[in-house]
Amino acid sequence: MSVTIRQIAVKAGVSRGTVDRVLNDRPGVKPHVREKVMAIAEELNYVPNAAAKALAFSKKPLHVGIIMPPREIEFFQEIRDGIEEAADELKGFGIQLEYCYVSNQNPEEGAAVIRKLVKDGVNGIMFSVMDDDLIRLSINQAVDSGVPVITFNSDVEQSKRICFVGQNLPQSGRIAAGLMARVLRSPSKVLVVAGHLSIYAHRARVKGFGDHLSGSGIDIVQVIEGYDRFEDTYEKLKEALTRYPEIEGIYMATGHIGACMDVVKGMNRPNRYRIIANDLMPEVEQGMREGLIDFTIVQNPAQQGYRSLRMLYELILNGKMPEQQYYYTETSIVIPESL
């Protein structure tokens, strides 16, 4: 038989209203009384009533903060679509989303947004920006204060985040390396383009790619950071390809694919570069149709957004802790002939 608030109140010698305030973490209760009520609730194995919680959230919506890179990064629109799909399914239970867009180059900004959301009383946070000690500290402080954090698309390792939802990123890099080894002969030289190596997703792909190619005779000449900006990617890639004419392959681990296509089209060389990309944005699809991109590795971004919000909601509403640290979405390979 489930334990009731009345039973806890009787054993603690306080009113049911006091127990309700303690269990719902509301003010107005003396510290020693709060500790006593919590100890008795734990002793009796009290489990909150999910229906009652859902009713409460329908009156005062569950508030979820979503921290992600700037809106102009087109890839994240698919993740937002997945989040909105989950939110639409949960709207009858009460849910309020607060999107916060922060720079990929400013950890202070990301850390400050986490602290502000906690101060504003959010019930949970979804996070997908950079991996940095300041970010890690803010996530740990949020979780310690009772605000669960789930990372999606890119992880913050060695933090107290509840779990990560996204692609198996080192594996994605290894897949790219395996594909590159199938289209280039040894010995060969390749170039890697990433957005921000301060972001775990970008760094993990690059590492997986390099580790898998180690000893294969296919050498990485340079790793470029383009910061997801057209101008930076274009200038750095053009300079590298001019400096190293022996380069035969390009791995676009992340970064501005449109800039890569423009540079490649402008290079005067008899044999085309072998290019492996990530995701299936319009520029990638166009590059494949034009015969410039050999393969692209896709990761189901909509599912990352959808699953993260559903898991966070279940945790807050029902106390259902995710059973795993990592929830990987499907990774697949697209070739031009499959378009």
Side-chain angles (χ1 to χ4, degrees):
M1 182 181 295
S2 60
V3 177
T4 66
I5 287 179
R6 182 178 181 279
Q7 289 173 297
I8 297 173
V10 169
K11 187 161 185 176
V14 298
S15 69
R16 282 181 289 181
T18 297
V19 174
D20 182 72
R21 285 195 293 275
V22 171
L23 296 178
N24 288 284
D25 198 26
R26 291 197 291 267
V29 182
K30 294 180 180 179
H32 73 278
V33 175
R34 184 179 296 275
E35 290 178 10
K36 182 179 181 181
V37 170
M38 290 301 294
I40 291 172
E42 184 175 351
E43 176 190 338
L44 297 177
N45 294 317
Y46 171 75
V47 178
N49 183 283
K53 273 197 167 185
L55 178 61
F57 283 134
S58 69
K59 296 177 180 177
K60 182 182 178 182
L62 181 149
H63 184 186
V64 175
I66 303 169
I67 305 173
M68 58 200 314
R71 292 184 69 100
E72 56 264 26
I73 299 179
E74 184 179 5
F75 165 79
F76 278 88
Q77 181 56 54
E78 290 189 59
I79 292 182
R80 284 192 294 269
D81 290 344
I83 293 171
E84 292 298 330
E85 180 183 352
D88 188 60
E89 293 176 357
L90 297 169
K91 65 183 179 182
F93 298 99
I95 189 164
Q96 173 190 344
L97 305 181
E98 181 176 348
Y99 288 97
C100 304
Y101 301 99
V102 302
S103 168
N104 276 326
Q105 300 183 67
N106 188 350
E108 292 85 359
E109 181 184 1
V113 170
I114 294 172
R115 293 194 299 269
K116 181 180 184 302
L117 287 172
V118 172
K119 184 179 179 181
D120 290 346
V122 296
N123 301 103
I125 294 173
M126 292 168 54
F127 184 88
S128 180
V129 193
M130 64 181 63
D131 178 14
D132 179 270
D133 285 341
L134 279 175
I135 297 294
R136 192 170 293 105
L137 175 62
S138 294
I139 287 177
N140 292 349
Q141 290 172 339
V143 174
D144 287 343
S145 70
V147 179
V149 178
I150 288 180
T151 56
F152 63 99
N153 187 255
S154 187
D155 200 8
V156 181
E157 291 195 312
Q158 298 179 344
S159 71
K160 294 182 180 180
R161 57 97 174 107
I162 303 302
C163 66
F164 166 70
V165 181
Q167 186 182 47
N168 184 330
L169 296 155
Q171 181 192 60
S172 175
R174 293 193 296 270
I175 290 171
L179 294 172
M180 190 68 80
R182 283 166 171 77
V183 296
L184 292 181
R185 294 180 179 179
S186 173
S188 296
K189 306 290 186 184
V190 298
L191 187 72
V192 176
V193 180
H196 300 257
L197 292 177
S198 62
I199 298 175
Y200 171 76
H202 302 193
R203 191 170 65 248
R205 281 193 189 130
V206 172
K207 186 177 186 305
F209 184 78
D211 288 349
H212 196 73
L213 286 182
S214 179
S216 69
I218 299 176
D219 298 325
I220 299 173
V221 173
Q222 186 177 346
V223 177
I224 291 172
E225 281 187 280
Y227 304 113
D228 290 316
R229 292 194 294 257
F230 182 96
E231 294 79 7
D232 290 301
T233 305
Y234 183 93
E235 293 299 329
K236 291 182 178 182
L237 181 57
K238 183 177 180 180
E239 191 275 334
L241 293 179
T242 302
R243 178 186 297 180
Y244 303 108
E246 67 273 23
I247 287 174
E248 297 180 58
I250 302 172
Y251 173 41
M252 293 292 297
T254 53
H256 205 296
I257 193 70
C260 177
M261 295 298 95
D262 282 1
V263 171
V264 166
K265 289 176 184 177
M267 299 300 293
N268 183 21
R269 57 180 282 130
N271 300 315
R272 76 175 184 88
Y273 297 102
R274 310 312 296 262
I275 300 176
I276 297 171
N278 271 284
D279 304 311
L280 195 57
M281 294 174 290
E283 295 91 343
V284 175
E285 184 172 342
Q286 181 179 345
M288 296 186 82
R289 293 187 186 281
E290 292 178 0
L292 299 174
I293 297 176
D294 294 89
F295 308 97
T296 191
I297 302 166
V298 297
Q299 58 176 310
N300 201 338
Q303 186 65 19
Q304 295 174 20
Y306 176 89
R307 195 169 188 181
S308 297
L309 183 57
R310 291 293 313 217
M311 291 174 67
L312 189 58
Y313 190 85
E314 284 293 326
L315 173 59
I316 297 168
L317 180 66
N318 299 321
K320 184 179 179 181
M321 184 68 70
E323 297 177 355
Q324 304 166 203
Q325 284 283 306
Y326 300 92
Y327 286 85
Y328 294 132
T329 52
E330 181 183 4
T331 294
S332 56
I333 301 166
V334 176
I335 61 175
E337 290 78 8
S338 64
L339 296 177

